[in-house]
Structure formats: C-alpha cells, structure tokens
Amino acid sequence: MKDFKAKVVLIVGASSGIGRVLALRLAAQGAQVVVTARRKDRLDALAAEIAERGGACDVFAADAQDPVAAEDVIRECLRQHGRIDLLVLNAGGAPAIDMRSMQAQEVTAYMRSNYDVAVNYLFPVLHQMRRQGGGLVAQTNSLAGFLGVPLQGPYSAAKGALRLLIDTCRVEFGIFGIRFVSLYPGFIATEATASDGMPAPREMSEDKAVDHIMDALRSERMDTMFPRSTAWLVRLSSVLPKAVVARILRNDVPPAPTPPPAIGVANHV
C-alpha cells in the first residue's frame, strides 16, 4: 500500500477528528475515498472539501452500531466501485466515565459504541476481501487497550477486545492475502476530546497523528504506537507488577462519586 492512487478506501468514522484528516490525505494522494458516519452534514462538507481539492469522495451516512446499516454501506460501496482495497475502522470514543457510578447497561453501551462499531464493518469486508484476493484493514485502537485506564474502563475493555480480535484475524485471514494494521494512539487533540473531561498528558495534534498513520499504512506495520513517550510508559506497565501499576494509576482517580441506587430485594416467604 505504498501508493494509494486509485485505491478504494472505506473510512468508518470520518465526520471529524482523525478520520476526517485521514480522508483528506488519502484523497489528495489519488485514493477513491468512501466515508461513513452518522452525521451526513459533516460528511457532505468533507466530500465538498475533497472535491474542491480535486479528489474523489463518496458519502454514506449510517449508524455503525447497526449491522444492517453497515452492510448496506458496504453493498453500495461495492456496487459503485467493485472492491475495497483498504478499510479504516475509526469509529468510537468515550468521555470520562467513572465506573463506580455506572450501571451494567451503561457499561455495555460503551462497549457497543467502541467494539460493535468495528465488528459490524470488519467481517462483511473481510469476506469481500477474501473473494477479491486480499486487502488491507487498519484499525484505530488506543494505548488504553493495553491497560485499565482510570475513567475509561469500558473504553479500555472494548479496545483490548478489538486488539485481540484483530490479532486473531491476522492468523485466520492472513492466508487469503488480507493484511492488518493496528494503530495505538495516545491522547489526540480532536473536537470530541476537547470537552471529554479526561486529563490528556502528551497530547498530540490530529495532523501529527495522521502522519504516524500514513507511515503505518505505507509500511503495513502490524502495530504502531504513538506518541513514543506515552507508548514507552505503556510498555513499561506491561513488565511492572500489577500492584505497582495499580498504585500509580490510582493517583489519577478522583474521589468516589455517589453510588447508583441499591437494587431492591424481594421478600420471599
């Protein structure tokens, strides 16, 4: 994937942030970009900007949590272009969320919005890539997928699950010429993170993050972690005793919020 010219690229989660900047970069290099997200007005604005710069972009608004809607996007993309050379899974995210005040359904909701949104596109595209003889899948994961980050428990869990899923896909789908690139950014300064309530040490700009992503796509490096300083700390946490890591991370935990209401206990005779 050293040359993106005429490649069909489907980007899931392209209405803002990293996905939007990546769409602009790939279109500028001659890719036929297909973008999807929930906010059609944002996607239309992106397509117009790409067209003004001489690029090509198709827009399909859909909710990535809906597997039927995801399949419809893929079907329409294939109807127009016949193949998908590169799939970029970039949907998801979460504000600061303290599990000590959450109910089970809230936890699973964040899992759906960060795990299901990838799976719903991943498997239909994998089967298409198998039919067409190969392709490249890139998934924007997170350094939070390697350890339990305070105020990001369900998000970290979803990203950890995706990390293992993609690693297993490498084994099972690699024989069909399908390659996988996992991207592990730290804190990125995007519109969504500006007011998410999370502390953001060593925060990186969207453009700088996309520089790393473009390099990873060209080289098809399996795992790319950035920025380097934060990635080093995450790697260090994998070799330290868990008790030590927990004690360090606990320094970033705010005072405990009010617990959720108690579950009523029925009286049985």
Side-chain angles (χ1 to χ4, degrees):
M1 199 63 70
K2 290 180 172 59
D3 182 6
F4 298 102
K5 187 174 178 60
K7 295 292 193 298
V8 180
V9 180
L10 173 59
I11 304 178
V12 182
S15 60
S16 64
I18 289 174
R20 185 182 187 281
V21 176
L22 184 60
L24 290 167
R25 294 274 192 97
L26 290 169
Q29 297 200 14
Q32 172 61 61
V33 176
V34 180
V35 294
T36 183
R38 288 176 298 177
R39 297 178 291 184
K40 189 175 186 302
D41 57 333
R42 295 288 191 96
L43 296 176
D44 287 339
L46 171 60
E49 186 173 349
I50 288 174
E52 288 173 3
R53 300 182 184 188
C57 180
D58 294 321
V59 168
F60 300 108
D63 184 350
Q65 292 191 60
D66 182 347
V68 175
E71 287 187 358
D72 288 343
V73 170
I74 295 164
R75 186 178 299 109
E76 188 61 24
C77 178
L78 293 173
R79 188 186 70 79
Q80 293 193 22
H81 303 291
R83 61 186 293 112
I84 297 173
D85 298 298
L86 168 60
L87 170 66
V88 180
L89 300 168
N90 185 65
I97 43 179
D98 195 321
M99 291 192 295
R100 295 171 295 181
S101 63
M102 296 178 71
Q103 302 281 14
Q105 63 268 27
E106 297 173 282
V107 175
T108 55
Y110 281 113
M111 291 290 289
R112 286 195 303 273
S113 63
N114 285 283
Y115 182 82
D116 293 11
V117 292
V119 172
N120 289 341
Y121 281 91
L122 174 61
F123 281 87
V125 172
L126 286 178
H127 296 313
Q128 167 58 27
M129 287 181 171
R130 180 179 177 181
R131 287 190 291 270
Q132 70 191 31
L136 179 63
V137 175
Q139 194 257 321
T140 305
N141 202 289
S142 171
L143 289 175
F146 288 96
L147 73 166
V149 177
L151 303 181
Q152 291 281 268
Y155 176 79
S156 293
K159 292 302 187 182
L162 277 175
R163 175 170 59 85
L164 295 174
L165 184 70
I166 293 295
D167 284 347
T168 308
C169 285
R170 282 194 181 100
V171 177
E172 297 189 3
F173 288 89
I175 59 174
F176 305 121
I178 304 173
R179 295 93 64 207
F180 297 86
V181 170
S182 294
L183 307 159
Y184 298 98
F187 294 104
I188 308 300
T190 68
E191 175 188 333
T193 62
S195 57
D196 65 359
M198 282 290 297
R202 302 174 179 85
E203 191 173 56
M204 177 181 285
S205 70
E206 293 172 348
D207 281 319
K208 188 65 177 174
V210 173
D211 287 343
H212 286 279
I213 292 171
M214 292 294 291
D215 287 343
L217 293 177
R218 290 190 188 97
S219 65
E220 297 191 9
R221 192 180 310 120
M222 289 187 181
D223 295 302
T224 297
M225 303 167 68
F226 57 91
R228 186 175 301 174
S229 57
T230 310
W232 180 85
L233 292 173
V234 170
R235 290 190 180 99
L236 180 62
S237 72
S238 67
V239 298
L240 289 173
K242 286 197 173 182
V244 174
V245 175
R247 189 161 60 247
I248 293 171
L249 292 176
R250 204 169 285 130
N251 292 328
D252 294 327
V253 177
T258 303
I263 299 174
V265 178
N267 291 322
H268 297 280
V269 177

